[in-house]
Amino acid sequence: MARTPLVFGLGLAVALLVGWVAFPRVLYVQRHQPLEFRHKTHAEKSGIVQCSECHAFRDDGTFAGIPSIAICTACHSERIGTTNAEATLVENYIKPGQETPWLVYARQPANVWFPHAVHVQRAALECRECHSPYGESDEVRIYQLNRVSGYSRDIWGPSISRLRRAPHEGMKMSDCEDCHRRRNVEVGCIGCHQ
Amino acid sequence: MKVTRRDLLVWSAGATAGLLFTPVPWKLLDDVSIWSQNWPWIPQPTRGPVDVKLSFCTLCPNGCGMRVRMAGGWPVGVAGAGCHPVSRGALCPLGFAAHQLNWHPRRLSRVCYRGNTSSWGEARVAFTKACGEGPIMIIDGHPGRAASSAFETFVQRRGSYRVVPGQETRALAPYGTWSGIPAAALGYDLENAGTIVSFGAPLLDGWGTPGRLTRLWAERAAGLADPQLHLIQVEPSFSRTAARAWQYVTIRAGGEGAVAEGVARVLLEEHLVPARGPMPSLTLVEVAEQAGVSTDAIRDLARTIVARPPVVAVADDNNPAIAALNVVLGAVGARGGIVRRSKHIRQDVCAEAAIRGMRAVLIDSTVPWDFVPQTDAEVFRFAAWDGGSTKADWLLPAPGFLEDLTDVPTAPTSGMETYAVAPSLAEAPTEVQSAAQFLSSIDPTLVTVDKVIHTRCSEIFRQRMGTLWGQDVTPVAKFVSVQKLEEELWKGAVWIGEPHHAGGLRCQLNDWPEAIGPARTSNASPPWLVPVLPSLASKLYQESGLRESPEGRSA
């Protein structure tokens, strides 16, 4: 058997292995959220059925994003459970009046303006279309931080190749453009980069 | 098996080829490009609650309404406020990027005395000493603000107050001279005009309140709304306004006044208008020779403009011939023409570059950088950005965009009286002070800006006239207390006065006014230092084509 193709193939195989298997593991560092938060449990025990009941719009139409500690305090002013997360929430955040430093999976760069009101209220998009059915899960996902860009893996999407993605996987500019194109909604640069 | 050098090279070639079929180079290229947006020296907005506040642009006196997007208490985005009754959601390109200016490299952050670092304490001592040794002068670029009141109060016993009027206010000066009404109290009722004849004024390129004409043109000149507006641009160069106008008349540089005379002559000779003014001295042949247009073209122009009344002529400078044309057209003190919008404005004295007999001159940060005082007096110049002044002894860092509380009086070209309050939305650096704050630190009895604003709000409430335009439109008479009214104004509402009454302005001309020199000598706009703003902004401003060179106008 010829030696040269074998060595070439070996180099090729190592590079493919490194590129497809090792690289994603090295690129992303795993971070844990400050608290174990379970969407499903909260929905079941509190009777919350709409995302907007906690992730609300303000009176002026802007999106408040992650609920402030004041909303948590309404139920958790004192410990109502025995878990470590409950103790951490009450002792570390509610009693000192500090906001919980959640790691935001969908955080975009500062030069991106994404109006939730336009997408949710006017275009009637479901939250899950961008955020996955995360609100129905009973686990807190590990936040994967891109070591180079500094943003969450959710922006690129779980698939390193970005092939065969579900519609909610990925929040790159091209994903926004694809969605707009599918819905025949064209916006210029200044629509998002104000 | 022995590994040879050839094996290593072949292996590397294989690995390189393999890497191209992995996400490594492509993903890293994407990530590195994002990483390069986050270098530590690039200012990043604070993370925090996102909020939108209504405010007003204070870069020029037009005070366009803007929606300021705040993140963590800092302005991170600007957009036009559709609820503003004058600018109606439009902003000039500079206004759209104004929140970036506070981080500009040429932002002033330290007190300088003749090029050397100094301190506010030393500047205060020097100014106090100057006040005690002789008369002082304060020069204001945006008169009529609360800060302007503080300036006037300060110099009452110490010297004099002067203003540097904008180009649009200068263009109204002849009417002020002929009627005895201050030019600052006059405006254009363009919303009711049927034909606008612009003699070189960049109406669709940022003239007056930039959004006003753009909106008007979009709605009425394009024929989408009735009555259709005719915009006729008379200009030597094919400017953007000329390109978008309903009709463009090309003339020889400096021929604007002559064309106005020619049009007036045709109007009077052919009895196209009632005889309201004197016959111009130039004959049509002389006009044609001076302006580089045929006599037939002038006749056609005169017949065209009166076809769709009301007609108003807009000048780019204080050329009295164009003002006299408005008198002939009956556009002075008439609906759709030049109107008196306010009865309470008094005449301010214009600052001249040559200043004599003063011990010190204080120049507010609203004065354009191209105003360079020729004086032996000690000059204290406030500025947020270094515009390249070489004539100031003291360079004093002023608050930048939205860093200082100010009020926004009526825009220079507006046909209606307006009033608004632009609160401080961004925290100013500790090293900066406004001129009003500086004067207050010297004279603690001086009235403060917030107190003047309160007094003005109380006056609006007391008169119970006009309407407040905010999220809703509410007549002032419906407010139950001045606090409620003031609260709305602080939240970004605009007060609009009562509609003007035609007839409050009269200009009588016995003789045709002597024309001033040619408005332009060349189509080319020489490079210029933009007023107030730094080099990056001036590039944006210049490239946006908002205005042409002031040297080009006055040459």
Side-chain angles (χ1 to χ4, degrees):
Chain A
M1 189 177 173
R3 184 183 171 91
T4 301
L6 191 68
V7 175
F8 184 88
L10 187 66
L12 191 82
V14 168
L16 291 174
L17 201 67
V18 167
W20 288 102
V21 180
F23 173 67
R25 292 169 192 269
V26 174
L27 182 63
Y28 294 106
V29 57
Q30 297 196 338
R31 295 272 168 83
H32 291 274
Q33 293 284 4
L35 289 175
E36 285 285 327
F37 179 85
R38 299 174 192 281
H39 276 99
K40 192 177 177 183
T41 306
H42 276 79
E44 285 172 356
K45 290 192 174 175
S46 318
I48 296 169
V49 290
Q50 294 291 330
C51 302
S52 58
E53 290 180 50
C54 293
H55 302 280
F57 287 91
R58 299 189 188 92
D59 292 341
D60 63 358
T62 56
F63 185 58
I66 291 181
S68 70
I69 196 71
I71 292 183
C72 307
T73 309
C75 295
H76 294 268
S77 57
E78 295 296 335
R79 290 191 200 185
I80 56 173
T82 56
T83 60
N84 288 338
E86 180 71 22
T88 308
L89 171 67
V90 175
E91 300 303 326
N92 291 5
Y93 303 114
I94 289 182
K95 287 190 176 171
Q98 283 188 353
E99 292 295 334
T100 314
W102 296 108
L103 300 167
V104 184
Y105 304 108
R107 175 157 287 162
Q108 292 282 339
N111 62 348
V112 179
W113 182 62
F114 180 84
H116 273 88
V118 173
H119 291 82
V120 176
Q121 294 181 333
R122 191 183 295 175
L125 291 187
E126 294 285 337
C127 302
R128 62 170 61 206
E129 291 188 52
C130 298
H131 295 283
S132 77
Y134 183 44
E136 297 166 11
S137 70
D138 211 16
E139 60 173 358
V140 65
R141 284 168 48 210
I142 289 173
Y143 180 92
Q144 297 189 59
L145 175 77
N146 186 315
R147 291 177 196 268
V148 181
S149 72
Y151 290 99
S152 159
R153 183 168 188 166
D154 285 38
I155 304 301
W156 181 266
S159 164
I160 195 74
S161 67
R162 284 175 65 79
L163 296 172
R164 291 194 297 175
R165 286 172 293 130
H168 63 263
E169 292 178 343
M171 293 181 175
K172 299 283 291 177
M173 189 172 82
S174 58
D175 297 315
C176 300
E177 289 172 341
D178 287 346
C179 187
H180 275 247
R181 206 166 289 129
R182 281 199 305 273
R183 294 166 191 273
N184 286 326
V185 179
E186 291 297 327
V187 290
C189 305
I190 207 165
C192 307
H193 300 288
Q194 293 192 353
Chain B
M1 187 173 70
K2 188 183 174 187
V3 176
T4 64
R5 181 171 168 273
R6 178 185 173 80
D7 288 339
L8 283 175
L9 289 172
V10 171
W11 188 90
S12 302
T16 307
L19 269 183
L20 295 176
F21 292 96
T22 69
V24 173
W26 322 113
K27 178 79 174 100
L28 282 180
L29 184 66
D30 184 81
D31 286 345
V32 167
S33 67
I34 297 172
W35 168 72
S36 68
Q37 297 169 4
N38 295 317
W39 282 330
W41 56 85
I42 298 175
Q44 295 288 331
T46 318
R47 290 286 182 198
V50 176
D51 198 5
V52 176
K53 294 192 173 176
L54 285 176
S55 189
F56 304 90
C57 182
T58 51
L59 293 177
C60 80
N62 292 297
C64 296
M66 51 171 52
R67 291 169 62 244
V68 184
R69 186 165 162 256
M70 312 280 294
W74 284 92
V76 295
V78 168
C83 59
H84 193 286
V86 180
S87 61
R88 295 194 286 161
L91 288 178
C92 71
L94 191 58
F96 268 114
H99 61 291
Q100 311 276 11
L101 291 173
N102 290 351
W103 283 272
H104 193 276
R106 294 187 74 175
R107 175 80 197 269
L108 288 174
S109 60
R110 60 193 172 91
V111 175
C112 280
Y113 177 64
R114 295 181 178 167
N116 300 315
T117 301
S118 185
S119 68
W120 281 107
E122 288 176 313
R124 205 168 289 120
V125 168
F127 193 72
T128 308
K129 182 168 175 276
C131 288
E133 290 177 353
I136 60 157
M137 179 183 284
I138 295 182
I139 301 177
D140 190 1
H142 297 178
R145 297 169 299 146
S148 309
S149 288
F151 297 159
E152 289 179 77
T153 309
F154 188 88
V155 296
Q156 263 174 4
R157 294 185 305 275
R158 298 179 174 97
S160 52
Y161 170 78
R162 296 283 185 274
V163 302
V164 180
Q167 196 71 12
E168 292 93 347
T169 306
R170 285 180 200 272
L172 291 165
Y175 311 100
T177 309
W178 299 337
S179 67
I181 295 169
L186 307 179
Y188 297 89
D189 180 26
L190 299 177
E191 284 74 9
N192 290 311
T195 302
I196 301 173
V197 193
S198 160
F199 288 86
L203 292 191
L204 299 176
D205 265 337
W207 178 89
T209 307
R212 184 184 176 203
L213 253 293
T214 307
R215 288 283 188 212
L216 204 59
W217 182 85
E219 290 165 4
R220 288 182 53 209
L224 300 177
D226 204 46
Q228 196 182 9
L229 175 70
H230 285 178
L231 170 59
I232 300 172
Q233 187 74 6
V234 181
E235 197 173 4
S237 58
F238 191 59
S239 65
R240 270 181 244 190
T241 302
R244 298 163 70 192
W246 180 74
Q247 184 184 344
Y248 167 49
V249 179
T250 178
I251 58 166
R252 188 172 291 152
E256 289 90 344
V259 172
E261 281 201 54
V263 170
R265 173 172 281 279
V266 174
L267 293 174
L268 293 170
E269 280 180 353
E270 297 187 7
H271 306 291
L272 296 172
V273 293
R276 296 191 189 92
M279 185 65 80
S281 49
L282 289 180
T283 64
L284 271 192
V285 175
E286 288 170 330
V287 168
E289 193 178 312
Q290 284 190 22
V293 288
S294 67
T295 53
D296 287 342
I298 295 167
R299 283 198 181 90
D300 286 345
L301 179 61
R303 290 165 192 155
T304 305
I305 64 174
V306 291
R308 189 178 289 272
V311 188
V312 63
V314 180
D316 191 30
D317 51 25
N318 55 348
N319 196 327
I322 297 164
L325 174 61
N326 269 327
V327 175
V328 170
L329 285 164
V332 181
R335 190 170 184 270
I338 313 287
V339 294
R340 181 180 189 177
R341 63 170 183 245
S342 173
K343 293 182 177 173
H344 310 293
I345 292 179
R346 59 175 180 72
Q347 182 71 51
D348 287 319
V349 182
C350 293
E352 300 296 334
I355 296 167
R356 292 187 183 85
M358 290 291 150
R359 169 63 181 82
V361 176
L362 187 145
I363 303 176
D364 186 50
S365 59
T366 53
V367 175
W369 273 104
D370 61 355
F371 178 85
V372 180
Q374 305 298 323
T375 178
D376 294 331
E378 193 171 9
V379 176
F380 294 75
R381 181 155 210 156
F382 281 81
W385 301 278
D386 181 4
S389 170
T390 54
K391 297 288 182 186
D393 297 290
W394 292 87
L395 205 51
L396 305 166
F401 181 68
L402 294 178
E403 285 182 349
D404 189 27
L405 164 68
T406 183
D407 55 348
V408 184
T410 311
T413 58
S414 174
M416 295 182 294
E417 206 173 9
T418 62
Y419 185 71
V421 177
S424 166
L425 294 183
E427 194 179 332
T430 51
E431 314 82 49
V432 309
Q433 272 185 34
S434 68
Q437 289 167 334
F438 178 73
L439 296 177
S440 286
S441 69
I442 289 169
D443 181 356
T445 63
L446 191 67
V447 64
T448 56
V449 167
D450 56 337
K451 281 186 182 164
V452 177
I453 290 174
H454 176 70
T455 307
R456 291 180 175 185
C457 292
S458 303
E459 185 63 20
I460 290 172
F461 179 75
R462 193 184 61 76
Q463 292 185 350
R464 305 189 80 78
M465 288 165 61
T467 316
L468 215 63
W469 288 61
Q471 298 293 354
D472 304 305
V473 180
T474 316
V476 173
K478 286 198 173 177
F479 279 88
V480 292
S481 68
V482 67
Q483 286 79 14
K484 284 280 179 196
L485 177 85
E486 200 167 349
E487 198 177 291
E488 288 298 314
L489 282 167
W490 276 73
K491 283 198 292 191
V494 189
W495 173 76
I496 300 279
E498 295 290 325
H500 61 83
H501 299 286
L505 172 66
R506 286 277 176 273
C507 289
Q508 286 289 341
L509 282 182
N510 296 322
D511 301 307
W512 190 264
E514 206 167 304
I516 59 171
R520 295 164 199 271
T521 54
S522 162
N523 291 350
S525 296
W528 62 299
L529 282 175
V530 76
V532 180
L533 299 163
S535 53
L536 176 67
S538 66
K539 187 172 186 308
L540 182 70
Y541 198 66
Q542 208 167 15
E543 287 185 353
S544 72
L546 286 175
R547 282 179 177 77
E548 294 182 353
S549 154
E551 289 91 334
R553 288 198 192 101
S554 56

